[in-house]
Short mmCIF file of all heavy atoms in Angstrom, two decimals:
data_model
loop_
_atom_site.label_atom_id
_atom_site.label_comp_id
_atom_site.label_asym_id
_atom_site.label_seq_id
_atom_site.Cartn_x
_atom_site.Cartn_y
_atom_site.Cartn_z
N HIS A 140 53.46 46.99 -14.42
CA HIS A 140 53.44 45.68 -13.78
C HIS A 140 53.47 44.58 -14.82
O HIS A 140 52.67 44.60 -15.76
CB HIS A 140 52.19 45.53 -12.91
CG HIS A 140 52.09 46.59 -11.86
ND1 HIS A 140 53.02 46.73 -10.87
CD2 HIS A 140 51.18 47.57 -11.67
CE1 HIS A 140 52.68 47.74 -10.10
NE2 HIS A 140 51.59 48.28 -10.57
N PHE A 142 54.01 40.25 -15.34
CA PHE A 142 54.17 38.89 -14.83
C PHE A 142 54.34 37.99 -16.05
O PHE A 142 53.53 38.04 -16.98
CB PHE A 142 52.94 38.44 -14.04
CG PHE A 142 52.63 39.32 -12.86
CD1 PHE A 142 51.87 40.48 -13.02
CD2 PHE A 142 53.10 39.00 -11.60
CE1 PHE A 142 51.59 41.30 -11.93
CE2 PHE A 142 52.82 39.82 -10.50
CZ PHE A 142 52.07 40.96 -10.67
N ARG A 166 56.65 46.73 -10.91
CA ARG A 166 56.94 45.39 -10.42
C ARG A 166 57.13 44.44 -11.59
O ARG A 166 56.29 44.39 -12.48
CB ARG A 166 55.78 44.82 -9.61
CG ARG A 166 55.28 45.69 -8.53
CD ARG A 166 55.89 45.33 -7.21
NE ARG A 166 55.71 46.50 -6.35
CZ ARG A 166 56.07 46.57 -5.09
NH1 ARG A 166 56.68 45.57 -4.53
NH2 ARG A 166 55.87 47.66 -4.40
N VAL A 168 57.67 40.35 -12.06
CA VAL A 168 57.72 39.05 -11.38
C VAL A 168 57.88 37.95 -12.43
O VAL A 168 57.09 37.85 -13.37
CB VAL A 168 56.44 38.77 -10.55
CG1 VAL A 168 56.50 37.39 -9.91
CG2 VAL A 168 56.25 39.84 -9.48
N GLU A 171 56.30 31.10 -12.10
CA GLU A 171 56.78 29.73 -12.20
C GLU A 171 56.28 29.04 -13.46
O GLU A 171 56.78 27.98 -13.82
CB GLU A 171 56.40 28.93 -10.96
CG GLU A 171 54.90 28.78 -10.69
CD GLU A 171 54.34 29.93 -9.85
OE1 GLU A 171 54.84 31.06 -9.97
OE2 GLU A 171 53.39 29.67 -9.07
N SER A 172 55.32 29.61 -14.12
CA SER A 172 54.76 29.02 -15.34
C SER A 172 53.83 30.05 -15.96
O SER A 172 53.49 31.05 -15.33
CB SER A 172 53.94 27.76 -15.01
OG SER A 172 52.77 28.12 -14.30
N VAL A 174 50.80 29.29 -16.57
CA VAL A 174 49.55 29.11 -15.81
C VAL A 174 49.53 30.13 -14.68
O VAL A 174 48.54 30.84 -14.47
CB VAL A 174 49.47 27.67 -15.23
CG1 VAL A 174 48.28 27.55 -14.28
CG2 VAL A 174 49.38 26.65 -16.34
N ALA A 175 50.64 30.22 -13.96
CA ALA A 175 50.71 31.15 -12.84
C ALA A 175 50.70 32.60 -13.35
O ALA A 175 49.96 33.44 -12.83
CB ALA A 175 51.95 30.89 -12.01
N ASN A 178 47.34 33.87 -14.12
CA ASN A 178 46.50 34.09 -12.94
C ASN A 178 47.00 35.27 -12.12
O ASN A 178 46.23 35.90 -11.40
CB ASN A 178 46.42 32.82 -12.10
CG ASN A 178 45.44 31.83 -12.71
OD1 ASN A 178 44.24 32.01 -12.60
ND2 ASN A 178 45.95 30.83 -13.41
N MET A 179 48.29 35.56 -12.23
CA MET A 179 48.81 36.75 -11.57
C MET A 179 48.22 38.01 -12.22
O MET A 179 47.86 38.96 -11.52
CB MET A 179 50.34 36.78 -11.64
CG MET A 179 50.98 35.74 -10.73
SD MET A 179 52.76 35.63 -11.02
CE MET A 179 53.19 34.24 -9.96
N TYR A 181 45.40 38.16 -13.65
CA TYR A 181 44.00 38.17 -13.17
C TYR A 181 43.95 38.89 -11.82
O TYR A 181 43.10 39.76 -11.59
CB TYR A 181 43.52 36.72 -13.06
CG TYR A 181 42.17 36.48 -12.42
CD1 TYR A 181 41.00 36.98 -12.98
CD2 TYR A 181 42.05 35.69 -11.27
CE1 TYR A 181 39.76 36.73 -12.39
CE2 TYR A 181 40.82 35.43 -10.68
CZ TYR A 181 39.68 35.95 -11.25
OH TYR A 181 38.46 35.69 -10.66
N GLY A 182 44.87 38.54 -10.92
CA GLY A 182 44.91 39.16 -9.60
C GLY A 182 45.23 40.65 -9.66
O GLY A 182 44.59 41.46 -8.99
N ALA A 183 46.20 41.00 -10.49
CA ALA A 183 46.61 42.40 -10.58
C ALA A 183 45.51 43.26 -11.20
O ALA A 183 45.18 44.33 -10.69
CB ALA A 183 47.90 42.52 -11.39
N GLY A 185 42.43 42.56 -11.21
CA GLY A 185 41.29 42.53 -10.29
C GLY A 185 41.40 43.57 -9.19
O GLY A 185 40.38 44.04 -8.68
N VAL A 186 42.63 43.90 -8.80
CA VAL A 186 42.77 44.96 -7.80
C VAL A 186 42.94 46.33 -8.49
O VAL A 186 43.29 47.32 -7.86
CB VAL A 186 43.92 44.70 -6.79
CG1 VAL A 186 43.65 43.43 -6.00
CG2 VAL A 186 45.29 44.63 -7.47
N GLY A 187 42.68 46.34 -9.78
CA GLY A 187 42.59 47.61 -10.50
C GLY A 187 43.93 48.16 -10.96
O GLY A 187 44.09 49.38 -11.02
N MET A 188 44.88 47.28 -11.29
CA MET A 188 46.16 47.78 -11.77
C MET A 188 46.35 47.40 -13.24
O MET A 188 45.94 46.33 -13.68
CB MET A 188 47.30 47.20 -10.92
CG MET A 188 47.19 47.55 -9.45
SD MET A 188 47.02 49.30 -9.09
CE MET A 188 48.70 49.76 -8.93
N GLU A 204 43.12 28.93 -19.68
CA GLU A 204 42.16 28.85 -18.57
C GLU A 204 41.95 30.23 -17.95
O GLU A 204 40.81 30.69 -17.79
CB GLU A 204 42.70 27.88 -17.51
CG GLU A 204 41.77 27.72 -16.32
CD GLU A 204 42.48 27.11 -15.10
OE1 GLU A 204 43.62 27.51 -14.81
OE2 GLU A 204 41.87 26.25 -14.45
N TYR A 208 38.62 33.03 -17.50
CA TYR A 208 38.18 33.66 -16.24
C TYR A 208 38.24 35.18 -16.33
O TYR A 208 37.35 35.89 -15.87
CB TYR A 208 39.06 33.19 -15.07
CG TYR A 208 38.69 31.81 -14.53
CD1 TYR A 208 38.93 30.67 -15.27
CD2 TYR A 208 38.11 31.67 -13.27
CE1 TYR A 208 38.61 29.41 -14.78
CE2 TYR A 208 37.79 30.41 -12.77
CZ TYR A 208 38.04 29.29 -13.53
OH TYR A 208 37.72 28.05 -13.03
N PRO A 309 39.81 52.42 -11.00
CA PRO A 309 39.28 51.20 -10.38
C PRO A 309 37.76 51.15 -10.34
O PRO A 309 37.18 50.16 -9.93
CB PRO A 309 39.88 51.22 -8.97
CG PRO A 309 40.22 52.64 -8.70
CD PRO A 309 40.43 53.32 -10.03
N ALA A 313 36.87 47.21 -8.97
CA ALA A 313 38.17 46.69 -8.55
C ALA A 313 38.19 46.44 -7.04
O ALA A 313 37.54 47.14 -6.27
CB ALA A 313 39.27 47.65 -8.95
N LEU A 314 38.95 45.43 -6.65
CA LEU A 314 39.05 45.05 -5.24
C LEU A 314 40.17 45.86 -4.59
O LEU A 314 41.34 45.49 -4.66
CB LEU A 314 39.32 43.55 -5.10
CG LEU A 314 38.35 42.63 -5.85
CD1 LEU A 314 38.64 41.18 -5.51
CD2 LEU A 314 36.91 42.97 -5.54
N THR A 315 39.79 46.96 -3.99
CA THR A 315 40.79 47.86 -3.42
C THR A 315 40.70 47.87 -1.90
O THR A 315 41.35 48.68 -1.24
CB THR A 315 40.56 49.29 -3.96
OG1 THR A 315 39.18 49.62 -3.74
CG2 THR A 315 40.87 49.37 -5.44
N GLY A 316 39.89 47.00 -1.34
CA GLY A 316 39.61 47.03 0.10
C GLY A 316 38.28 47.72 0.31
O GLY A 316 38.01 48.74 -0.34
N CYS A 317 37.43 47.19 1.21
CA CYS A 317 36.04 47.65 1.28
C CYS A 317 35.83 48.79 2.26
O CYS A 317 34.68 49.12 2.57
CB CYS A 317 35.11 46.48 1.59
SG CYS A 317 35.33 45.85 3.26
N ALA A 318 36.92 49.41 2.75
CA ALA A 318 36.76 50.51 3.71
C ALA A 318 35.84 51.58 3.12
O ALA A 318 36.08 52.06 2.00
CB ALA A 318 38.12 51.10 4.05
N ARG A 320 32.86 51.39 1.93
CA ARG A 320 31.90 51.00 0.89
C ARG A 320 31.50 49.54 1.09
O ARG A 320 32.08 48.84 1.92
CB ARG A 320 32.50 51.20 -0.51
CG ARG A 320 33.75 50.37 -0.77
CD ARG A 320 34.00 50.19 -2.26
NE ARG A 320 35.32 49.63 -2.56
CZ ARG A 320 35.64 48.37 -2.47
NH1 ARG A 320 34.78 47.48 -2.01
NH2 ARG A 320 36.86 47.95 -2.80
N GLU A 321 30.56 49.08 0.27
CA GLU A 321 30.17 47.67 0.30
C GLU A 321 31.30 46.80 -0.23
O GLU A 321 32.10 47.26 -1.04
CB GLU A 321 28.95 47.47 -0.62
CG GLU A 321 27.67 48.09 -0.11
CD GLU A 321 27.10 47.32 1.07
OE1 GLU A 321 26.68 46.16 0.87
OE2 GLU A 321 27.10 47.87 2.20
N LYS A 322 31.36 45.55 0.22
CA LYS A 322 32.36 44.64 -0.32
C LYS A 322 32.10 44.36 -1.81
O LYS A 322 30.96 44.47 -2.27
CB LYS A 322 32.37 43.32 0.45
CG LYS A 322 31.10 42.49 0.27
CD LYS A 322 31.21 41.14 0.96
CE LYS A 322 31.85 40.09 0.06
NZ LYS A 322 31.61 38.71 0.54
N ARG A 323 33.16 44.05 -2.52
CA ARG A 323 33.03 43.69 -3.95
C ARG A 323 33.51 42.27 -4.17
O ARG A 323 34.37 41.78 -3.43
CB ARG A 323 33.86 44.64 -4.81
CG ARG A 323 33.35 46.06 -4.80
CD ARG A 323 34.28 46.98 -5.56
NE ARG A 323 33.80 48.36 -5.50
CZ ARG A 323 34.54 49.41 -5.78
NH1 ARG A 323 35.80 49.26 -6.17
NH2 ARG A 323 34.03 50.63 -5.72
N ILE A 324 33.00 41.66 -5.22
CA ILE A 324 33.38 40.27 -5.53
C ILE A 324 33.76 40.19 -7.00
O ILE A 324 33.05 40.73 -7.85
CB ILE A 324 32.20 39.31 -5.25
CG1 ILE A 324 31.79 39.35 -3.77
CG2 ILE A 324 32.56 37.89 -5.66
CD1 ILE A 324 30.52 38.59 -3.46
N ILE A 325 34.87 39.54 -7.28
CA ILE A 325 35.22 39.23 -8.67
C ILE A 325 35.11 37.72 -8.82
O ILE A 325 35.81 36.96 -8.16
CB ILE A 325 36.61 39.75 -9.04
CG1 ILE A 325 36.56 41.27 -9.08
CG2 ILE A 325 37.08 39.16 -10.36
CD1 ILE A 325 37.86 41.92 -9.49
N ASN A 326 34.25 37.30 -9.69
CA ASN A 326 33.79 35.93 -9.63
C ASN A 326 33.26 35.51 -11.00
O ASN A 326 32.69 36.31 -11.72
CB ASN A 326 32.65 35.89 -8.59
CG ASN A 326 31.87 34.62 -8.66
OD1 ASN A 326 32.43 33.58 -8.92
ND2 ASN A 326 30.57 34.72 -8.44
N SER A 327 33.43 34.24 -11.33
CA SER A 327 32.80 33.75 -12.55
C SER A 327 32.07 32.44 -12.31
O SER A 327 32.01 31.59 -13.18
CB SER A 327 33.84 33.59 -13.67
OG SER A 327 34.84 32.67 -13.27
N LEU A 328 31.53 32.27 -11.11
CA LEU A 328 30.69 31.10 -10.84
C LEU A 328 29.25 31.55 -10.95
O LEU A 328 28.83 32.46 -10.23
CB LEU A 328 30.98 30.57 -9.42
CG LEU A 328 30.15 29.37 -8.96
CD1 LEU A 328 30.50 28.11 -9.74
CD2 LEU A 328 30.34 29.12 -7.46
N THR B 442 29.80 37.88 6.52
CA THR B 442 28.47 38.40 6.19
C THR B 442 27.45 37.61 7.00
O THR B 442 27.78 36.60 7.62
CB THR B 442 28.18 38.24 4.69
OG1 THR B 442 28.20 36.84 4.37
CG2 THR B 442 29.22 38.95 3.84
N ARG B 471 39.83 44.64 8.09
CA ARG B 471 38.78 44.27 7.14
C ARG B 471 38.72 45.21 5.94
O ARG B 471 38.57 44.78 4.81
CB ARG B 471 37.43 44.24 7.85
CG ARG B 471 36.34 43.54 7.08
CD ARG B 471 35.06 43.48 7.89
NE ARG B 471 34.41 44.78 7.99
CZ ARG B 471 33.59 45.28 7.07
NH1 ARG B 471 33.33 44.58 5.99
NH2 ARG B 471 33.04 46.47 7.24
N GLY B 472 38.86 46.50 6.19
CA GLY B 472 38.70 47.48 5.13
C GLY B 472 39.79 47.44 4.08
O GLY B 472 39.66 48.04 3.01
N ARG B 473 40.89 46.75 4.36
CA ARG B 473 41.93 46.65 3.32
C ARG B 473 42.30 45.19 3.03
O ARG B 473 43.41 44.89 2.59
CB ARG B 473 43.15 47.48 3.69
CG ARG B 473 43.83 47.14 4.99
CD ARG B 473 44.98 48.11 5.21
NE ARG B 473 45.68 47.85 6.45
CZ ARG B 473 46.93 47.43 6.53
NH1 ARG B 473 47.64 47.21 5.44
NH2 ARG B 473 47.51 47.24 7.70
N THR B 474 41.36 44.30 3.31
CA THR B 474 41.63 42.89 3.07
C THR B 474 40.97 42.42 1.78
O THR B 474 39.85 42.80 1.47
CB THR B 474 41.11 42.05 4.26
OG1 THR B 474 41.87 42.39 5.41
CG2 THR B 474 41.27 40.55 3.99
N VAL B 475 41.72 41.63 1.02
CA VAL B 475 41.18 40.95 -0.16
C VAL B 475 41.41 39.46 0.02
O VAL B 475 42.55 39.02 0.20
CB VAL B 475 41.83 41.45 -1.46
CG1 VAL B 475 41.40 40.58 -2.64
CG2 VAL B 475 41.46 42.90 -1.73
N VAL B 484 34.06 27.20 -2.29
CA VAL B 484 34.05 28.12 -3.44
C VAL B 484 33.20 29.36 -3.14
O VAL B 484 33.50 30.45 -3.60
CB VAL B 484 33.57 27.40 -4.73
CG1 VAL B 484 32.13 26.93 -4.61
CG2 VAL B 484 33.74 28.28 -5.95
N LEU B 485 32.13 29.16 -2.34
CA LEU B 485 31.26 30.30 -2.05
C LEU B 485 31.78 31.17 -0.90
O LEU B 485 31.07 32.05 -0.42
CB LEU B 485 29.84 29.82 -1.75
CG LEU B 485 29.09 29.23 -2.94
CD1 LEU B 485 27.73 28.68 -2.51
CD2 LEU B 485 28.89 30.26 -4.05
N TYR B 487 33.49 33.52 -1.05
CA TYR B 487 33.41 34.94 -1.41
C TYR B 487 32.09 35.56 -0.95
O TYR B 487 31.99 36.77 -0.81
CB TYR B 487 33.64 35.16 -2.91
CG TYR B 487 32.67 34.45 -3.83
CD1 TYR B 487 31.38 34.92 -4.03
CD2 TYR B 487 33.06 33.29 -4.51
CE1 TYR B 487 30.50 34.26 -4.87
CE2 TYR B 487 32.19 32.62 -5.35
CZ TYR B 487 30.90 33.11 -5.52
OH TYR B 487 30.04 32.46 -6.35
N GLU B 488 31.08 34.73 -0.74
CA GLU B 488 29.82 35.25 -0.21
C GLU B 488 29.89 35.44 1.31
O GLU B 488 29.14 36.22 1.87
CB GLU B 488 28.67 34.27 -0.51
CG GLU B 488 28.38 34.06 -1.97
CD GLU B 488 27.57 35.20 -2.58
OE1 GLU B 488 27.36 36.21 -1.90
OE2 GLU B 488 27.17 35.06 -3.76
N TYR B 489 30.74 34.67 1.97
CA TYR B 489 30.72 34.61 3.43
C TYR B 489 31.68 35.60 4.08
O TYR B 489 31.38 36.18 5.11
CB TYR B 489 31.02 33.19 3.91
CG TYR B 489 30.11 32.15 3.29
CD1 TYR B 489 30.59 30.89 2.94
CD2 TYR B 489 28.76 32.43 3.03
CE1 TYR B 489 29.76 29.95 2.35
CE2 TYR B 489 27.93 31.49 2.45
CZ TYR B 489 28.44 30.24 2.11
OH TYR B 489 27.63 29.32 1.53
N PHE B 490 32.87 35.76 3.51
CA PHE B 490 33.81 36.71 4.10
C PHE B 490 33.35 38.13 3.78
O PHE B 490 33.03 38.43 2.62
CB PHE B 490 35.23 36.47 3.59
CG PHE B 490 35.85 35.24 4.17
CD1 PHE B 490 36.14 34.14 3.36
CD2 PHE B 490 36.13 35.15 5.52
CE1 PHE B 490 36.69 32.99 3.90
CE2 PHE B 490 36.68 34.01 6.07
CZ PHE B 490 36.97 32.92 5.26
N ASN B 491 33.34 38.95 4.80
CA ASN B 491 32.80 40.31 4.63
C ASN B 491 33.91 41.29 4.26
O ASN B 491 34.17 42.26 4.96
CB ASN B 491 32.10 40.75 5.91
CG ASN B 491 31.27 42.00 5.70
OD1 ASN B 491 30.94 42.35 4.56
ND2 ASN B 491 30.94 42.68 6.78
N CYS B 492 34.58 40.97 3.16
CA CYS B 492 35.63 41.85 2.65
C CYS B 492 35.65 41.64 1.14
O CYS B 492 34.95 40.77 0.63
CB CYS B 492 36.99 41.52 3.28
SG CYS B 492 37.51 39.82 3.01
N ASP B 493 36.45 42.41 0.42
CA ASP B 493 36.55 42.21 -1.02
C ASP B 493 37.06 40.80 -1.30
O ASP B 493 37.98 40.32 -0.63
CB ASP B 493 37.51 43.25 -1.63
CG ASP B 493 36.83 44.60 -1.84
OD1 ASP B 493 35.66 44.74 -1.46
OD2 ASP B 493 37.49 45.51 -2.38
N MET B 494 36.47 40.14 -2.29
CA MET B 494 36.82 38.74 -2.54
C MET B 494 36.96 38.43 -4.03
O MET B 494 36.18 38.89 -4.86
CB MET B 494 35.70 37.82 -1.98
CG MET B 494 35.57 37.76 -0.48
SD MET B 494 36.97 36.99 0.40
CE MET B 494 36.96 35.30 -0.20
N PHE B 495 37.96 37.63 -4.33
CA PHE B 495 38.11 37.01 -5.65
C PHE B 495 37.61 35.57 -5.56
O PHE B 495 37.72 34.93 -4.51
CB PHE B 495 39.58 36.83 -5.99
CG PHE B 495 40.28 37.98 -6.63
CD1 PHE B 495 41.16 38.75 -5.90
CD2 PHE B 495 40.12 38.25 -7.98
CE1 PHE B 495 41.87 39.78 -6.48
CE2 PHE B 495 40.83 39.28 -8.58
CZ PHE B 495 41.70 40.05 -7.83
N GLU B 496 37.20 35.05 -6.69
CA GLU B 496 37.03 33.61 -6.81
C GLU B 496 38.05 33.19 -7.88
O GLU B 496 38.05 33.72 -8.98
CB GLU B 496 35.60 33.29 -7.22
CG GLU B 496 35.19 31.86 -6.99
CD GLU B 496 35.66 31.00 -8.12
OE1 GLU B 496 35.36 31.31 -9.27
OE2 GLU B 496 36.37 30.00 -7.83
N ALA B 497 38.95 32.29 -7.51
CA ALA B 497 40.04 31.90 -8.42
C ALA B 497 39.68 30.60 -9.13
O ALA B 497 38.76 29.90 -8.73
CB ALA B 497 41.33 31.72 -7.64
N SER B 498 40.44 30.26 -10.16
CA SER B 498 40.26 28.94 -10.76
C SER B 498 40.94 27.91 -9.85
O SER B 498 41.70 28.26 -8.95
CB SER B 498 40.80 28.91 -12.19
OG SER B 498 42.19 29.19 -12.19
N HIS B 499 40.67 26.65 -10.13
CA HIS B 499 41.05 25.55 -9.24
C HIS B 499 42.58 25.50 -9.04
O HIS B 499 43.31 25.22 -9.97
CB HIS B 499 40.54 24.25 -9.88
CG HIS B 499 40.48 23.07 -8.95
ND1 HIS B 499 40.44 23.17 -7.59
CD2 HIS B 499 40.43 21.74 -9.23
CE1 HIS B 499 40.38 21.96 -7.06
NE2 HIS B 499 40.36 21.07 -8.04
N ARG B 501 44.68 27.98 -8.33
CA ARG B 501 45.51 29.13 -8.74
C ARG B 501 45.44 30.30 -7.77
O ARG B 501 46.00 31.37 -8.05
CB ARG B 501 45.11 29.62 -10.13
CG ARG B 501 44.88 28.55 -11.16
CD ARG B 501 46.11 27.72 -11.45
NE ARG B 501 45.76 26.63 -12.35
CZ ARG B 501 46.28 25.43 -12.32
NH1 ARG B 501 47.20 25.09 -11.43
NH2 ARG B 501 45.89 24.51 -13.18
N ALA B 504 48.58 32.33 -7.13
CA ALA B 504 49.04 33.19 -8.23
C ALA B 504 48.19 34.46 -8.27
O ALA B 504 48.70 35.57 -8.46
CB ALA B 504 48.96 32.45 -9.56
N VAL B 505 46.88 34.31 -8.06
CA VAL B 505 46.00 35.48 -8.04
C VAL B 505 46.41 36.41 -6.89
O VAL B 505 46.52 37.63 -7.04
CB VAL B 505 44.52 35.04 -7.89
CG1 VAL B 505 43.61 36.26 -7.83
CG2 VAL B 505 44.12 34.14 -9.06
N THR B 507 49.34 36.64 -5.57
CA THR B 507 50.62 37.27 -5.93
C THR B 507 50.37 38.52 -6.77
O THR B 507 50.96 39.58 -6.50
CB THR B 507 51.50 36.26 -6.71
OG1 THR B 507 51.75 35.13 -5.86
CG2 THR B 507 52.81 36.88 -7.14
N GLY B 508 49.51 38.38 -7.78
CA GLY B 508 49.22 39.52 -8.65
C GLY B 508 48.61 40.68 -7.86
O GLY B 508 48.94 41.84 -8.08
N ALA B 509 47.72 40.34 -6.93
CA ALA B 509 47.04 41.38 -6.15
C ALA B 509 48.01 42.06 -5.19
O ALA B 509 48.11 43.28 -5.14
CB ALA B 509 45.86 40.76 -5.38
N ARG B 511 51.37 42.04 -5.03
CA ARG B 511 52.54 42.72 -5.60
C ARG B 511 52.20 44.08 -6.15
O ARG B 511 53.02 45.00 -6.11
CB ARG B 511 53.14 41.87 -6.73
CG ARG B 511 53.87 40.66 -6.26
CD ARG B 511 55.26 41.01 -5.75
NE ARG B 511 55.96 39.78 -5.45
CZ ARG B 511 57.19 39.49 -5.88
NH1 ARG B 511 57.86 40.35 -6.62
NH2 ARG B 511 57.75 38.34 -5.56
N THR B 512 50.99 44.20 -6.69
CA THR B 512 50.66 45.47 -7.33
C THR B 512 49.97 46.43 -6.37
O THR B 512 49.97 47.63 -6.60
CB THR B 512 49.78 45.26 -8.58
OG1 THR B 512 48.60 44.53 -8.20
CG2 THR B 512 50.52 44.46 -9.63
N ARG B 513 49.38 45.92 -5.31
CA ARG B 513 48.81 46.77 -4.24
C ARG B 513 49.31 46.27 -2.90
O ARG B 513 48.59 45.62 -2.14
CB ARG B 513 47.28 46.73 -4.26
CG ARG B 513 46.64 47.71 -5.20
CD ARG B 513 45.17 47.92 -4.88
NE ARG B 513 44.50 48.48 -6.03
CZ ARG B 513 44.43 49.79 -6.28
NH1 ARG B 513 44.97 50.65 -5.45
NH2 ARG B 513 43.80 50.23 -7.36
N PRO B 514 50.56 46.58 -2.57
CA PRO B 514 51.19 46.01 -1.38
C PRO B 514 50.51 46.41 -0.07
O PRO B 514 50.70 45.74 0.94
CB PRO B 514 52.62 46.58 -1.41
CG PRO B 514 52.80 47.15 -2.77
CD PRO B 514 51.46 47.44 -3.34
N LEU B 516 47.40 46.16 0.56
CA LEU B 516 46.29 45.27 0.87
C LEU B 516 46.76 44.15 1.80
O LEU B 516 47.93 43.77 1.80
CB LEU B 516 45.73 44.64 -0.41
CG LEU B 516 45.02 45.57 -1.40
CD1 LEU B 516 44.64 44.79 -2.66
CD2 LEU B 516 43.78 46.20 -0.76
N ALA B 533 52.09 23.58 -7.72
CA ALA B 533 53.17 24.45 -8.22
C ALA B 533 52.97 25.88 -7.72
O ALA B 533 53.92 26.52 -7.26
CB ALA B 533 53.21 24.44 -9.74
N GLU B 534 51.75 26.35 -7.79
CA GLU B 534 51.49 27.75 -7.41
C GLU B 534 51.79 27.98 -5.93
O GLU B 534 52.36 29.00 -5.55
CB GLU B 534 50.04 28.14 -7.73
CG GLU B 534 49.77 28.40 -9.20
CD GLU B 534 49.71 27.14 -10.04
OE1 GLU B 534 49.47 26.04 -9.47
OE2 GLU B 534 49.92 27.22 -11.26
N HIS B 537 55.68 27.83 -5.15
CA HIS B 537 56.45 28.98 -5.65
C HIS B 537 56.06 30.28 -4.98
O HIS B 537 56.92 31.13 -4.73
CB HIS B 537 56.35 29.06 -7.17
CG HIS B 537 57.19 28.01 -7.82
ND1 HIS B 537 58.55 28.15 -7.99
CD2 HIS B 537 56.88 26.78 -8.27
CE1 HIS B 537 59.04 27.06 -8.54
NE2 HIS B 537 58.05 26.20 -8.72
N ARG B 541 58.80 32.35 -3.05
CA ARG B 541 59.14 33.74 -3.36
C ARG B 541 58.92 34.63 -2.15
O ARG B 541 59.32 35.78 -2.15
CB ARG B 541 58.26 34.27 -4.51
CG ARG B 541 58.63 33.77 -5.90
CD ARG B 541 57.86 34.55 -6.98
NE ARG B 541 56.44 34.48 -6.76
CZ ARG B 541 55.63 33.58 -7.32
NH1 ARG B 541 56.09 32.68 -8.15
NH2 ARG B 541 54.33 33.59 -7.05
#
Side-chain angles (χ1 to χ4, degrees):
Chain A
H140 302 298
F142 301 86
R166 309 263 160 178
V168 178
E171 61 271 33
S172 68
V174 172
N178 282 284
M179 288 171 186
Y181 172 63
V186 298
M188 301 307 270
E204 181 198 42
Y208 280 70
L314 307 186
T315 52
C317 68
R320 61 159 168 79
E321 290 288 293
K322 67 175 273 196
R323 294 174 182 163
I324 299 172
I325 290 182
N326 166 36
S327 60
L328 178 68
Chain B
T442 61
R471 195 177 72 85
R473 59 182 179 114
T474 295
V475 171
V484 64
L485 291 175
Y487 59 77
E488 297 281 7
Y489 306 143
F490 287 114
N491 192 18
C492 58
D493 280 3
M494 291 294 296
F495 274 105
E496 197 278 306
S498 61
H499 197 21
R501 316 297 174 215
V505 178
T507 299
R511 287 281 186 131
T512 56
R513 274 197 199 273
L516 292 175
E534 284 74 22
H537 285 280
R541 285 190 304 266

